[in-house]
Amino acid sequence: MPDARVTNTITGRDAFLRVLSDEGVVKMFGNPGTTELPIMHALSSAPEMGYVLALQEAIVIAMADGYARASGKLVSCNVHVAPGLGNAIGSIYTSFMSGTPMIVTAGQQEQGHGLTEPLLYAPLVPIAQPVVKWATEVNRIEDLPRILRRAAKVATTAPTGPVFISLPGDILNNEAAIDLGAATRVDTAVRPSDDALEHLARRLLTAKNLVIVAGPEIASADAFAEAAALAETLGAPVLHQTVGYGAHFPSEHPAYIGALNRDQKRVRQILSEYDLMFCVGSDVLKMSVWSEVEPLPETTKVAMLGLRDWEMGKNFPAEMALRADVKETLKALVPLLKKLGGDALAAKAKANLTALASRNWSAQRAQRLKALPKPVTGEPLPGEWVMAELTERLPKNAIIVEEGLTTATTLPNYFAYRDRNSFFGNVSGGIGWGIAAAVGVAIAEPKRRVVAVIGDGSAMYSIQALWSAANLKLPMTFLICNNGGYQILKNRLKLFHGNDTPIGMDFVDPPIDATKIAQGFGVAAERVDTAEGFSAALHKSLATSTGPTLIEVMVKKAG
């Protein structure tokens, strides 16, 4: 109950928690400071708001990001004033890129006191503004519910994403008779007009060689079945978008032929086979480093479907661009295609899928397993072998959270995406997200085994997240792939500059021991450097249900 002294009044801090709860928030992730103490005080009488402690603000946001992406729920994050918000910005940027529905708050100095520029003070809204959908500060206690309601509406309306609210101490501690309001949700599950839908259907049917590019909106719309039906109806091959940060299409479907990468020359070569690329809820060939080669051939036209209209025609013109929900549109499009295409389309689709059988993802996986070299005794383990062995031993409903960079490059070749929550990856490229996000995913998915595949460099950005996993006794597995440095930078230094003598990219003097670090956070851990040792450690870890375990596997430097 609120600690209001009069029945028709309420403190700002209690109003804050009441409104969040009414908006469907059941988890608050945080790392408190002095300016957050009013909220911490209110939490003591609001046990229904499950508070998850993380040991640094970037970890707070990444854990909440993983939780929200896996649960589909709006989440609350509470971080400290200016330096804490600064710590969190990189992770908020990642959440912004992934479109995670999240309300980020930070305590602020009392209004008036801030004018004196006390310790830790800075204007918070300008700090957060570039990486959120909306940012504001509460200046009157009467406005607090309205601002929270608006924040929840903005965060959950497609394209979804984080919002930020600065909470001055006097707003939280003051008391007033205020209207708490009610929740608003904007329904964006819409499909195109009948005319637009028929235009799209006829365009897809007239393509000589069509390819479908699958993206994150297939997952966020829960449209795995509809996307599979589209591929089956058209007999079209399906490629995963260039930035593989989620499970966007069932890997074992006969139409799935694998993922595009971020090599412009290679992508251009692949797409040159097709005259029409249908982007279903996907980015359009997002790349990493500059290349003089454009990834889209002039002969490949583009059609797009999804709710992120900013992506439409952003870099490449779209012949058709439909701003609509993927699931609702495909539910209407597939029957229309069957009606317009008739028996001829059915026969063509069947023949196309038969032709894909020798080169689809499943066939490629079988060929790779057959050709996979065995580890050499006395040498670090090959990353590809580790990825293959891992996926062979995982339960079918396992979830992988991946930030392995070089070592995990081949993971999508072996791990099957069977549902929209089977895989989560880093969308922004800013490392340090994975190990913390995996904790959030494990909180959201307690009945499934969560395995975090993390590089040694990435792990050091947020290793403190292990403590939260141990504190919550989450039965999950952390796999730290140790190749002794920033291998991706070494590879690129050599590739781009011909320089094979890297400076500042090795962890050798002294070497990092992730096993001992994990043990210091209360996580059972062991280091392995043989095939037998890895297999035994993995078996033991997957059988452990009383808390988290960590395996540090010594892997080859992948060049």
Side-chain angles (χ1 to χ4, degrees):
M1 296 295 293
D3 61 0
R5 291 182 291 277
V6 184
T7 55
N8 66 339
T9 67
I10 188 171
T11 60
R13 57 184 177 261
D14 285 317
F16 173 75
L17 294 181
R18 277 199 183 183
V19 172
L20 284 182
S21 181
D22 188 60
E23 289 286 350
V25 175
V26 296
K27 290 290 181 187
M28 178 184 290
F29 293 78
N31 180 264
T34 304
T35 51
E36 288 69 52
L37 289 181
I39 292 173
M40 304 309 292
H41 173 48
L43 281 168
S44 64
S45 57
E48 70 279 2
M49 182 64 68
Y51 186 83
V52 181
L53 173 63
L55 301 185
Q56 201 257 13
E57 289 89 353
I59 297 170
V60 169
I61 304 297
M63 283 172 57
D65 181 88
Y67 171 82
R69 285 175 63 181
S71 69
K73 294 177 181 177
L74 177 66
V75 69
S76 170
C77 305
N78 189 36
V79 301
H80 195 27
V81 70
L85 178 59
N87 287 340
I89 288 296
S91 291
I92 298 174
Y93 169 76
T94 294
S95 298
F96 187 55
M97 292 294 104
S98 64
T100 302
M102 174 187 295
I103 297 177
V104 182
T105 58
Q108 177 59 295
Q109 306 287 354
E110 287 79 2
Q111 297 177 100
H113 183 47
L115 181 64
T116 70
E117 298 188 2
L119 192 67
L120 301 175
Y121 174 78
L124 300 183
V125 171
I127 296 174
Q129 221 154 16
V131 291
V132 294
K133 288 185 71 179
W134 181 55
T136 193
E137 182 170 281
V138 185
N139 301 127
R140 298 192 315 152
I141 188 172
E142 293 84 359
D143 294 333
L144 176 61
R146 177 173 289 158
I147 286 172
L148 283 169
R149 298 294 187 182
R150 186 181 299 177
K153 185 264 296 186
V154 170
T156 57
T157 300
T160 55
V163 297
F164 173 77
I165 305 172
S166 171
L167 298 171
D170 54 312
I171 298 293
L172 295 173
N173 289 322
N174 286 350
E175 185 176 301
I178 55 178
D179 181 359
L180 297 185
T184 297
R185 290 295 182 271
V186 178
D187 184 358
T188 58
V190 296
R191 70 168 184 83
S193 67
D194 290 343
D195 286 347
L197 202 63
E198 182 168 344
H199 185 196
L200 173 62
R202 293 190 182 281
R203 181 65 183 92
L204 295 175
L205 291 171
T206 57
K208 294 180 180 177
N209 289 296
L210 169 70
V211 65
I212 297 168
V213 176
E217 291 183 60
I218 291 175
S220 61
D222 192 17
F224 256 48
E226 289 77 11
L230 174 71
E232 289 165 17
T233 300
L234 291 167
V238 179
L239 288 162
H240 206 280
Q241 69 173 36
T242 53
V243 182
Y245 61 85
H248 305 155
F249 193 85
S251 304
E252 294 164 317
H253 190 279
Y256 184 62
I257 58 174
L260 292 168
N261 61 21
R262 295 190 293 280
D263 178 337
Q264 285 91 327
K265 292 181 182 178
R266 177 61 180 149
V267 170
R268 186 181 181 89
Q269 180 184 12
I270 291 170
L271 294 180
S272 64
E273 181 181 340
Y274 307 102
D275 65 313
L276 181 63
M277 178 174 71
F278 184 27
C279 297
V280 181
S282 71
D283 295 332
V284 187
L285 311 183
K286 180 178 281 190
M287 295 296 165
S288 298
V289 297
W290 178 85
S291 170
E292 61 186 11
V293 175
E294 288 282 11
L296 184 70
E298 293 79 3
T299 53
T300 305
K301 304 305 177 185
V302 179
M304 297 195 66
L305 166 65
L307 288 168
R308 297 175 300 157
D309 54 299
W310 176 254
E311 296 298 323
M312 297 176 175
K314 182 176 73 174
N315 295 321
F316 303 101
E319 189 177 291
M320 294 190 66
L322 302 182
R323 190 183 189 278
D325 179 77
V326 166
K327 187 183 186 82
E328 291 302 313
T329 302
L330 295 186
K331 281 164 61 176
L333 177 62
V334 169
L336 181 58
L337 287 167
K338 290 179 178 179
K339 178 183 175 182
L340 295 174
D343 292 340
L345 175 61
K348 178 183 176 183
K350 183 177 180 181
N352 286 354
L353 291 176
T354 300
L356 288 173
S358 62
R359 65 183 185 98
N360 64 18
W361 182 88
S362 297
Q364 292 177 47
R365 185 182 191 276
Q367 292 161 10
R368 286 189 175 98
L369 283 173
K370 192 178 295 184
L372 190 66
K374 295 189 185 311
V376 177
T377 302
E379 293 184 4
L381 296 173
E384 184 167 358
W385 181 88
V386 172
M387 296 302 105
E389 179 71 3
L390 170 66
T391 58
E392 285 289 288
R393 293 179 176 270
L394 287 179
K396 284 190 177 294
N397 71 338
I399 298 171
I400 285 184
V401 179
E402 184 269 313
E403 194 175 78
L405 301 183
T406 51
T407 301
T409 300
T410 59
L411 178 61
N413 298 332
Y414 296 99
F415 182 66
Y417 306 154
R418 296 191 171 99
D419 63 79
R420 62 176 176 162
N421 271 11
S422 55
F423 178 83
F424 296 95
N426 187 344
V427 55
S428 74
I431 65 174
W433 166 89
I435 197 167
V439 177
V441 172
I443 295 171
E445 288 277 16
K447 295 182 179 179
R448 299 175 68 173
R449 190 70 186 195
V450 175
V451 178
V453 180
I454 312 292
D456 52 347
S458 290
M460 292 305 109
Y461 276 65
S462 53
I463 196 72
Q464 308 98 306
L466 293 177
W467 181 87
S468 297
N471 174 251
L472 296 168
K473 297 179 174 55
L474 299 174
M476 57 186 301
T477 300
F478 295 95
L479 178 61
I480 306 296
C481 303
N482 188 340
N483 56 19
Y486 297 128
Q487 190 61 45
I488 190 170
L489 292 181
K490 296 181 196 176
N491 293 350
R492 288 181 172 180
L493 183 68
K494 184 177 180 179
L495 177 65
F496 299 158
H497 300 282
N499 186 337
D500 203 15
T501 55
I503 296 172
M505 300 177 192
D506 288 302
F507 313 149
V508 294
D509 187 20
I512 291 173
D513 191 329
T515 298
K516 289 182 179 177
I517 296 172
Q519 291 167 348
F521 283 117
V523 175
E526 63 179 303
R527 174 180 284 193
V528 297
D529 57 8
T530 66
E532 295 78 12
F534 175 71
S535 298
L538 182 59
H539 176 78
K540 179 180 176 183
S541 175
L542 294 177
T544 302
S545 59
T546 53
T549 53
L550 182 143
I551 304 168
E552 182 181 17
V553 57
M554 309 307 290
V555 295
K556 283 186 176 180
K557 296 174 173 60

